[in-house]
């Protein structure tokens, strides 16, 4: 580690530029700088927080500016993480500055935590621009608002759908400057507290009874409450349990004030909640069954050898993969090393974390995006200091500064949430492998539906395949039945959401006091609004997609950019009043279930009912505890939950994902159906699964119904081989975008020329319109590049980037997505 005195530092700044910049150091900083520490430097008219890459005394050729302030006395990124960052920048063709920013603690908040104000240039521009710009132009609106006073980025993005983009462009032009409120604050000063609010029950039901008859509340007449208070009370009645106040604020206006006044009136309780390390009761580990033991033994040997080895743990749903993770982590910890467990975004719940606390106590750190900055910084420090050696986190958890890393487990390795859908577009699972390799650590990738890539890597011997073929305690796999909805229509002459069979099965569960999960992988009430007279479908103003009708909010919503408008009473195109709603979403499924089963207690889990992580947990906990009979939801409900009383899983339509213009459509459908089917029959009661479909012969649907992963893998692999898709080729999606159609078209044309004829070993498809040709007000064209050689592909992509820089394309115009998961 370089100690001593230096005159210069090379700094990677969070800007889409590849090279580091050299700054001179003021006397006061010369002894204190270290690679991996954050430093504030001037950059054009702005101040940026960058990361020191190198400290040296080599005078640069150009005049340098002086660094302003050192943030960390101890590096936040050690040599291992810095080199991981370099690998990501190279492999994913992303600017190192953007990569390193994403690896820093609180990375995601840095942008949001800023308070923006106008620069002098911005004031001039505002005067000019406000004269000619359209009044609803987000850039103009932001300028107008900032003219009055500085505003936080979080506030701006809440009130303007496209604020983030507008902010970036204003920032680039030097019209606005940010005060970084994040780094200024000392995280240790504030206690890690938050508030939870819960309705006071005047007549609490007997403890543990699953079917209480509603929730009684104190008889304070509602008329004495003001509107926010009434709304909050009504919400709490509908959603029993304790809620995080911050989450509520995002849904109900003034709920914070209302909660405090309701607490004074004795209607609700407010409790401070400290998330930190709460060691639960220590649970005795299960004795592994023979299949678990064999898998664990194999992993254990590699752990003891202290060498890099990668395992693919393929275990059917309910086969007890978690127990193996726990044991492997324990083995690593016993050696004095650290372990990292990555889980999909939505799966990181307190129930899940609880298992780790109970096994490892205060050695556990949880990295969760729902935590406050203070809490996350706190966890990060505990990891860094070595006091936490077991880390559970989502995608970016792969950058946790775990000391002496011995093991990384990636649970549900096939999950799409491991892929970051913005620059740098890395896949956390793949980064985990690279990080482990450098650290001589082991990797365990676990799934009941491994991705084609991972399974193929196991076939090729890159990973060792470990299999858990059956469920714990030899519980049967659920019986799956396909219901052909075309046949159902012929027989009933009705276009119904539910088949007779599914309705009957739900009815039986209600009678038996068993629970049902109903999946429909589309939110909203109906998927589009159309006009019978002219055929017009109401589209988003920013994107070439139809708007979805959300009944509760009485508005049409764009699921891509968040644009919303009122429901039209007449057709916006021809003014006919024959507008009608088409397609079924989860909100409508819930409503129809209420109608069919008025006495049933139904909860819905999708991105409309879950705006914060806490609500997700509240609904799920309620379901687990038996407060609901039926849980309706989108793919959110398919992920790893273990609810023993669920004996029926119904899939309203298996077909939604199949029509997507994406070569992974079949794989995703297979994974979703298999995973959701796996939610049934996990307790002592056997479960059944009913899948409604109009494609009963499609292999993904058929093989999911048979729960035959191996058959699916082989069939899909043959298709990928025939079409030269991954895992047989490396693939990248190169996309150009601009608000101006001509510009987007021109850029794509220029790229087309650059890549004609394609270099050897490469195949280029396009340029063509992207499947969603216009998104967030930008026109988009794409080229798909396939190559048998990664090196050749990477070289070509670097050439594309250099070309864009040479032509001075705007920084956000070119998107390079290596190993893309979504081609939309
Ligand atoms: P998976 O992740 O493979 O779907 P889980 O790890 O959730 O499965 O395990 C399913 C259930 O079986 C859990 O409730 C778990 O506690 C239990 N379990 C795991 N291993 C054993 C074992 N060896 N003996 C008894 N129960 C076990
Ligand atoms: Zn019309
Ligand atoms: Zn939109």
């Amino acid at each position: 580690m370089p100690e001593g005195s230096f005159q210069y530092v090379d700094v990677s700044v969070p800007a889409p530029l590849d090279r580091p910049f050299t700054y001179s150091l003021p006397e006061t900083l010369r002894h204190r700088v270290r690679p991996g520490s954050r430093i504030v430097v001037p950059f054009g008219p702005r101040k940026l927080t960058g990361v020191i890459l190198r400290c040296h005394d080599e005078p640069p050729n150009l005049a340098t500016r002086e660094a302003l302030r050192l943030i960390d006395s101890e590096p936040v990124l050690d040599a291992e993480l810095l080199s991981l960052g370099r690998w990501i920048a190279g492999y994913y063709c992303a600017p190192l500055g953007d990569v390193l920013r994403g690896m820093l603690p609180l990375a995601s908040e840095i942008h949001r935590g800023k308070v923006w104000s106008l620069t002098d240039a911005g004031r001039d521009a505002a005067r000019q621009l406000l004269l000619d710009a359209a009044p609803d132009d987000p850039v103009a609106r932001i300028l107008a608002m900032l003219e009055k006073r500085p505003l936080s980025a979080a506030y701006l993005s809440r009130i303007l759908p496209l604020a983030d983009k507008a902010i970036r462009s204003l920032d680039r032009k030097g019209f606005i400057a940010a005060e970084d409120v994040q780094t200024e604050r000392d995280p240790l000063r504030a206690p890690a507290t938050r508030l939870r609010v819960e309705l006071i029950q005047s007549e609490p039901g007997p403890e543990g009874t699953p079917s209480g008859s509603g929730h009684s509340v104190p008889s304070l007449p509602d008329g004495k409450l003001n509107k926010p208070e009434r709304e909050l009370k009504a919400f709490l009645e509908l959603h029993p349990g304790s809620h995080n106040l911050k989450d509520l604020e995002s849904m109900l206006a003034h709920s914070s004030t209302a909660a405090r006044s309701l607490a004074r009136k004795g209607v609700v309780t407010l409790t401070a909640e400290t998330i930190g390390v709460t060691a639960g009761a220590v649970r005795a580990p299960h004795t592994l069954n023979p299949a678990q033991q064999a898998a664990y033994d194999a992993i254990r040997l590699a752990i003891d050898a202290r060498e890099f080895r990668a395992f693919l743990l393929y275990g059917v749903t309910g086969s007890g993969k978690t127990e193996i993770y726990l044991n492997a982590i324990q083995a690593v910890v016993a050696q004095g090393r650290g372990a990292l467990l990555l889980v999909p975004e939505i799966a990181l719940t307190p129930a899940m974390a609880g298992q780790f606390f109970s096994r490892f106590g205060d050695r556990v750190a949880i990295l969760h995006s729902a935590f406050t900055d203070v809490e996350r910084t706190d966890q990060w420090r505990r990891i860094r200091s070595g006091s936490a050696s077991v880390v559970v986190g989502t995608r970016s958890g792969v950058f946790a500064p775990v000391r002496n890393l011995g093991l990384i487990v990636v649970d549900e390795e096939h999950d799409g949430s491991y892929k970051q859908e913005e620059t740098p577009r890395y896949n956390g699972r793949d980064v985990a492998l690279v990080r482990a390799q450098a650290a001589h650590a082991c990797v365990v990738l676990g799934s009941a539906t491994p991705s084609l890539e991972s399974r193929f890597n196991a076939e090729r011997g890159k990973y060792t395949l470990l299999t858990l073929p059956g469920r714990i305690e030899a519980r049967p796999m659920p019986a799956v039945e396909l219901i052909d909805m075309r046949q159902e229509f012929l027989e009933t002459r009705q276009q119904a959401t539910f088949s007779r069979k599914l309705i009957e099965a739900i009815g039986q569960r209600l009678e038996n006091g068993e629970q049902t999960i109903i999946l429909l992988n589309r939110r909203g009430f109906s998927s589009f609004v159309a006009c019978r007279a002219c055929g017009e479908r109401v589209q988003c103003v920013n994107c070439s997609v139809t708007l979805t009708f959300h009944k509760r909010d009485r508005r049409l919503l764009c699921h891509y950019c968040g644009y919303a408008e009122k429901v039209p009473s007449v057709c916006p195109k021809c003014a006919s009043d024959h507008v009608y709603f088409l397609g079924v979403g989860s909100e409508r499924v819930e409503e129809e279930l209420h109608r069919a089963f008025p006495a049933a207690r139904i909860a819905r889990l999708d991105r409309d009912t879950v705006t914060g992580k806490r609500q997700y947990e509240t609904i799920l906990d309620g379901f687990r505890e038996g407060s609901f009979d039926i849980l309706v939801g989108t793919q959110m409900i398919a992920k790893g939950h273990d609810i023993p009383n669920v004996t029926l899983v119904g899939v309203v339509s298996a077909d939604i994902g199949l029509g997507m213009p994406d070569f992974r459509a079949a794989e995703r459908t297979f994974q979703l159906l298999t995973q959701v089917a796996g939610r049934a029959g996990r307790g002592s009661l056997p479960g059944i699964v009913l899948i409604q479909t109009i494609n009963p012969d499609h292999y993904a649907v058929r093989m999911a119904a048979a729960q035959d992963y191996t058959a699916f893998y082989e069939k899909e692999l043959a298709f990928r081989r025939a079409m030269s898709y991954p895992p047989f080729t490396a693939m990248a999606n190169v996309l150009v975008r601009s608000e101006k159609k001509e510009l987007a078209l021109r850029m794509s044309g220029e790229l087309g020329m650059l890549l004609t004829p394609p270099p050897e070993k490469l195949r280029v498809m396009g340029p063509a319109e992207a499947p969603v040709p216009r998104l967030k007000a930008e026109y988009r064209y794409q080229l798909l590049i396939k190559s048998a050689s990664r090196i050749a592909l990477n070289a070509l992509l670097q050439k594309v980037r250099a070309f864009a820089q040479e032509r001075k394309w705007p920084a956000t115009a070119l998107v390079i997505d290596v190993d893309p998961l979504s081609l939309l």
Side-chain angles (χ1 to χ4, degrees):
M1 211 160 282
E3 298 268 0
S5 174
F6 302 96
Q7 293 185 50
Y8 301 102
V9 282
D10 294 347
V11 176
S12 167
V13 292
L17 295 158
D18 283 329
R19 62 182 195 89
F21 290 82
T22 303
Y23 290 89
S24 61
L25 291 167
E27 190 60 49
T28 51
L29 294 187
R30 290 191 180 169
H31 292 275
R32 296 170 47 213
V33 288
R34 309 262 293 275
S37 292
R38 290 172 297 178
I39 192 165
V40 181
V41 293
F43 193 80
R46 298 176 288 170
K47 292 180 204 168
L48 293 178
T49 302
V51 175
I52 300 175
L53 296 178
R54 200 164 72 95
C55 312
H56 59 91
D57 291 317
E58 301 153 24
N61 299 329
L62 301 165
T64 55
R65 296 173 78 181
E66 196 164 78
L68 300 170
R69 192 163 56 84
L70 188 68
I71 295 179
D72 312 297
S73 46
E74 289 286 303
V76 286
L77 297 175
D78 60 14
E80 183 203 336
L81 288 171
L82 277 177
S83 89
L84 187 65
R86 287 202 176 90
W87 179 85
I88 292 172
Y91 183 92
Y92 291 101
C93 298
L96 182 62
D98 284 343
V99 174
L100 294 182
R101 174 170 54 181
M103 295 173 76
L104 297 172
L106 301 181
S108 57
E109 261 54 44
I110 286 185
H111 208 67
R112 290 273 164 137
K114 284 178 170 171
V115 172
W116 295 96
S117 52
L118 287 188
T119 59
D120 289 342
R123 262 173 225 295
D124 294 342
R127 251 167 257 135
Q128 285 293 320
L129 218 114
L130 291 178
L131 293 177
D132 3 297
D136 58 348
D137 175 9
V139 169
R141 282 194 61 190
I142 290 177
L143 282 178
M145 286 188 285
L146 292 184
E147 265 208 309
K148 301 206 181 74
R149 64 192 170 94
L151 290 167
S152 78
Y155 173 76
L156 290 169
S157 14
R158 206 160 53 235
I159 61 166
L160 288 175
L162 298 173
D164 285 354
K165 229 189 91 206
I167 288 174
R168 273 202 303 276
S169 107
L170 285 167
D171 182 28
R172 253 196 330 270
K173 291 179 184 138
F175 290 171
I176 58 177
E179 175 103 18
D180 198 335
V181 287
Q182 229 53 248
T183 45
E184 305 290 339
R185 197 163 61 201
D186 179 358
L188 291 182
R189 251 189 349 236
T193 54
R194 57 173 80 225
L195 285 174
R196 293 192 79 83
V197 53
E198 183 169 8
L199 211 55
I200 294 173
Q201 316 267 316
S202 59
E203 304 154 49
E207 229 180 346
T209 32
S211 51
S213 54
H215 295 263
S216 27
V217 288
S219 52
L220 190 70
D222 273 1
K224 291 227 170 122
L225 305 177
N226 63 28
K227 184 155 172 274
E229 291 170 348
R230 276 201 310 277
E231 281 177 359
L232 178 62
K233 181 165 168 257
F235 178 90
L236 293 173
E237 281 164 8
L238 275 170
H239 302 85
S242 105
H243 297 262
N244 176 253
L245 195 51
K246 208 162 158 248
D247 288 343
L248 287 178
E249 273 167 9
S250 63
M251 305 194 325
L252 296 172
H254 312 298
S255 48
S256 189
T257 325
R260 285 167 216 273
S261 59
L262 285 179
R264 278 195 300 275
K265 292 172 186 168
V267 181
V268 302
T269 54
L270 274 183
T271 40
E273 156 195 37
T274 309
I275 294 229
V277 183
T278 43
V282 177
R283 176 175 68 78
H286 290 294
T287 311
L288 299 183
N289 67 25
Q292 285 174 315
Q293 187 69 45
Y296 170 66
D297 288 345
I299 298 168
R300 181 64 204 259
L301 275 178
I303 288 173
D304 289 347
R306 295 175 181 247
E307 273 169 14
F308 168 69
R309 279 283 291 282
F311 296 92
L312 176 61
L313 177 60
Y314 159 57
V316 300
T317 54
S319 58
K321 294 184 283 294
T322 311
E323 204 65 30
I324 298 178
Y325 305 154
L326 289 165
N327 283 358
I329 291 170
Q330 183 128 42
V332 165
V333 170
Q335 294 176 349
R337 295 196 286 165
L340 185 54
L341 171 81
L342 300 182
V343 296
E345 190 64 47
I346 204 78
L348 186 45
T349 59
M352 153 103 206
Q355 290 197 41
F356 281 80
F357 283 130
S358 79
R359 186 84 162 247
F360 301 107
D362 61 8
R363 275 187 302 229
V364 177
I366 308 279
L367 295 174
H368 197 305
S369 53
F371 284 4
T372 63
D373 303 346
V374 177
E375 287 162 343
R376 269 185 295 165
T377 311
D378 195 35
Q379 300 283 322
W380 194 89
R381 293 200 172 163
R382 291 181 49 241
I383 300 165
R384 214 200 116 102
S385 70
S387 81
S389 52
V390 177
V391 179
V392 183
T394 51
R395 180 179 61 228
S396 63
V398 74
F399 303 125
V402 181
R403 290 207 160 175
N404 205 355
L405 186 67
L407 173 71
I408 306 182
V409 177
V410 184
D411 189 25
E412 311 285 356
E413 66 84 27
H414 65 277
D415 195 273
S417 74
Y418 288 123
K419 174 82 174 174
Q420 175 148 299
E421 294 295 354
E422 57 189 59
T423 309
R425 296 174 176 252
Y426 69 93
N427 188 317
R429 172 198 62 204
D430 299 334
V431 172
L433 284 151
V434 172
R435 181 171 179 191
Q437 188 156 24
H440 306 287
C442 287
V443 176
V444 176
L445 308 178
S447 177
T449 52
S451 62
L452 267 268
E453 284 85 349
S454 294
R455 182 63 187 77
F456 187 60
N457 278 334
E459 191 173 314
R460 289 195 298 177
K462 281 180 83 174
Y463 309 158
T464 305
L465 181 66
L466 305 171
T467 306
L468 303 178
R471 285 188 156 181
I472 284 297
E473 294 172 339
R475 279 171 201 151
M477 296 301 286
V480 184
E481 193 180 319
L482 292 177
I483 299 174
D484 185 342
M485 292 306 274
R486 297 167 308 183
Q487 190 62 30
E488 180 80 8
F489 178 73
L490 288 179
E491 286 168 22
T492 61
R493 292 277 148 210
Q494 276 184 37
Q495 197 79 57
T497 304
F498 302 107
S499 59
R500 294 159 297 173
K501 188 146 197 171
L502 183 52
I503 287 286
E504 189 194 318
I506 297 171
Q508 275 168 6
R509 303 301 117 136
L510 291 171
E511 262 169 43
N512 299 345
E514 294 166 16
Q515 289 174 295
T516 299
I517 286 178
I518 299 286
L519 172 88
L520 179 68
N521 201 18
R522 182 158 58 199
R523 64 195 182 100
F525 192 81
S526 52
S527 38
F528 38 85
V529 183
C531 168
R532 253 185 245 285
C534 73
E536 169 85 350
R537 287 180 174 192
V538 183
Q539 291 225 337
C540 175
V541 296
N542 300 316
C543 315
S544 41
V545 297
T546 52
L547 295 176
T548 304
F549 174 46
H550 287 246
K551 192 171 180 185
R552 189 183 68 179
D553 314 334
R554 271 179 256 100
R555 49 184 199 161
L556 303 180
L557 200 70
C558 174
H559 287 182
Y560 288 83
C561 75
Y563 168 82
E565 64 180 44
K566 287 223 182 76
V567 179
S569 50
V570 297
C571 170
K573 194 169 162 205
C574 76
S576 141
D577 55 7
H578 292 292
V579 287
Y580 67 116
F581 299 89
L582 269 174
V584 179
S586 51
E587 191 183 0
R588 171 135 165 225
V589 166
E590 183 193 4
E591 188 177 291
E592 289 195 15
L593 280 173
H594 271 301
R595 224 175 297 139
F597 302 104
R601 297 159 309 159
I602 303 173
R604 175 159 57 95
L605 203 61
D606 58 27
R607 278 211 278 133
D608 300 312
T609 57
V610 176
T611 50
K613 298 264 169 3
R614 312 273 150 173
Q615 286 153 339
Y616 175 79
E617 290 149 18
T618 310
I619 296 173
L620 214 56
D621 286 349
F623 189 58
R624 187 175 292 115
E625 286 156 15
S627 318
F628 307 110
D629 307 304
I630 305 176
L631 182 64
V632 177
T634 54
Q635 64 194 12
M636 274 188 187
I637 61 176
K639 302 266 161 80
H641 320 300
D642 198 13
I643 299 170
N645 198 34
V646 173
T647 59
L648 170 65
V649 168
V651 178
V652 175
S653 166
D655 313 302
I656 289 172
L658 280 179
M660 292 285 191
D662 187 332
F663 73 93
R664 283 199 174 83
E667 184 180 14
R668 267 199 286 268
T669 299
F670 176 83
Q671 287 166 344
L672 179 65
L673 295 178
T674 309
Q675 293 284 349
V676 75
R679 300 308 117 214
R682 292 175 69 99
S684 46
L685 300 165
I688 65 160
V689 181
L690 299 176
I691 299 177
Q692 302 186 158
T693 177
I694 53 170
N695 293 297
D697 299 323
H698 192 290
Y699 66 99
V701 175
R702 223 170 0 95
M703 287 161 178
Q707 306 204 49
D708 192 343
Y709 172 79
T710 308
F712 175 77
Y713 168 68
E714 270 153 20
K715 171 110 189 164
E716 182 68 11
L717 201 69
F719 159 71
R720 303 279 181 93
R721 184 182 278 122
M723 303 295 290
S724 298
Y725 278 127
F728 295 98
T729 44
M731 190 161 144
N733 187 9
V734 174
L735 188 125
V736 287
R737 54 187 185 185
S738 168
E739 284 176 15
K740 299 194 189 80
K741 186 165 186 178
E742 317 82 77
L743 184 56
L745 202 55
R746 200 181 77 218
M747 291 186 294
S748 77
E750 286 176 9
L751 278 188
M753 304 255 271
L754 179 74
L755 303 185
T756 315
E760 224 182 307
K761 294 194 204 143
L762 289 161
R763 281 183 51 196
V764 176
M765 287 156 289
E769 253 187 2
V772 180
R774 190 160 173 263
L775 188 69
K776 300 189 182 177
E778 289 177 318
Y779 293 89
R780 312 156 80 235
Y781 294 86
Q782 71 185 24
L783 296 112
L784 283 179
I785 306 173
K786 292 196 225 170
S787 170
S789 152
R790 279 233 168 249
I791 295 171
L793 177 66
N794 190 268
L796 183 75
L797 295 173
Q798 299 295 358
K799 189 170 141 191
V800 167
R801 287 185 72 206
F803 180 78
Q805 278 172 17
E806 215 172 88
R807 299 272 159 139
K808 303 225 170 350
W809 289 358
T812 57
L814 176 70
V815 177
I816 293 180
D817 192 354
V818 177
D819 304 336
L821 273 195
S822 163
L823 299 179
L824 295 183

